[in-house]
Amino acid sequence: MLFRSLMSNDMWLGIAHENVLCLGGGGSGTFNITRSFGIEGDVSGCKMLGLGTDLSGDATTFMLGPRYTYRGMSHWAPWAHALVGGEKITQELLNPAEKEAVDAAAPANTSAFVLHDKYTTHYETTGMAAEFGAGIDWVLNPAVAFRVGDFDYLHSWASESRVHSSDARLTMGVVLRIGSRPEGHDGI
């Protein structure tokens, strides 16, 4: 069986509700079953910005699903995908008053790493997630393409999180095209 696997390394920017910005990156791979249809796997992560004083967080998604790529243009490859999987959200709340008290009571030369859990509260949840989107790649040659744009909508059911249930993502990046070409492949 002939196939072509696509791997991309993307930088992305997502906007969740409550004015939280999520800045991160990720990678995906596609195993093309036919010239146009493939199975895509994607892992992405981001640092949440704008959560407020003393609260930090990050999100990681892991997704799998079908992808359709139209290959009828000479150097452009528009595509769409529908992915399902999960999202893990981690947040940490720092208590400044507790930190001051713990630091004052700690013996000299005590590692900050040892004391950290005494003045922070850790929140973590994982739930189902679905992502739908489309994009376009500019094919430079048979081995490399540039992801000009990818717009996705992500919805997560990670219910215990304080933010990040739905967001829009805009990504761009480099695509490495490795493997054999499918039958009838015209060079892109």
Side-chain angles (χ1 to χ4, degrees):
M1 173 191 279
L2 296 175
F3 70 94
R4 184 171 196 88
S5 177
L6 301 176
M7 294 173 38
S8 68
N9 183 356
D10 297 327
M11 293 293 292
W12 63 273
L13 176 67
I15 299 177
H17 68 286
E18 297 182 21
N19 297 321
V20 174
L21 184 65
C22 212
L23 184 60
S28 64
T30 302
F31 177 80
N32 285 321
I33 298 167
T34 68
R35 181 173 188 256
S36 297
F37 287 98
I39 301 296
E40 178 179 353
D42 179 89
V43 177
S44 301
C46 69
K47 171 78 172 157
M48 293 179 190
L49 306 173
L51 290 176
T53 306
D54 303 323
L55 183 63
S56 64
D58 59 70
T60 304
T61 59
F62 38 96
M63 315 288 270
L64 184 71
R67 174 181 169 133
Y68 172 80
T69 304
Y70 176 71
R71 299 191 192 278
M73 301 174 169
S74 63
H75 285 284
W76 295 97
W79 53 269
H81 62 191
L83 308 174
V84 295
E87 180 175 46
K88 179 180 178 182
I89 298 174
T90 306
Q91 295 177 336
E92 184 178 82
L93 180 63
L94 178 120
N95 183 333
E98 190 73 21
K99 181 180 184 321
E100 191 174 305
V102 167
D103 287 345
N109 298 327
T110 303
S111 168
F113 178 77
V114 172
L115 301 175
H116 186 80
D117 287 343
K118 297 180 188 289
Y119 54 83
T120 58
T121 305
H122 185 80
Y123 303 96
E124 185 175 298
T125 186
T126 303
M128 291 288 298
E131 179 176 283
F132 306 95
I136 189 163
D137 296 340
W138 178 37
V139 181
L140 301 171
N141 60 49
V144 179
F146 177 69
R147 175 135 314 142
V148 176
D150 169 9
F151 181 76
D152 292 308
Y153 169 76
L154 171 76
H155 184 81
S156 171
W157 289 269
S159 61
E160 296 173 25
S161 168
R162 297 176 180 208
V163 295
H164 209 268
S165 62
S166 296
D167 67 276
R169 293 180 176 182
L170 178 61
T171 68
M172 59 181 7
V174 176
V175 179
L176 302 177
R177 302 159 50 96
I178 58 177
S180 302
R181 291 186 184 148
E183 289 182 35
H185 194 276
D186 58 3
I188 63 162

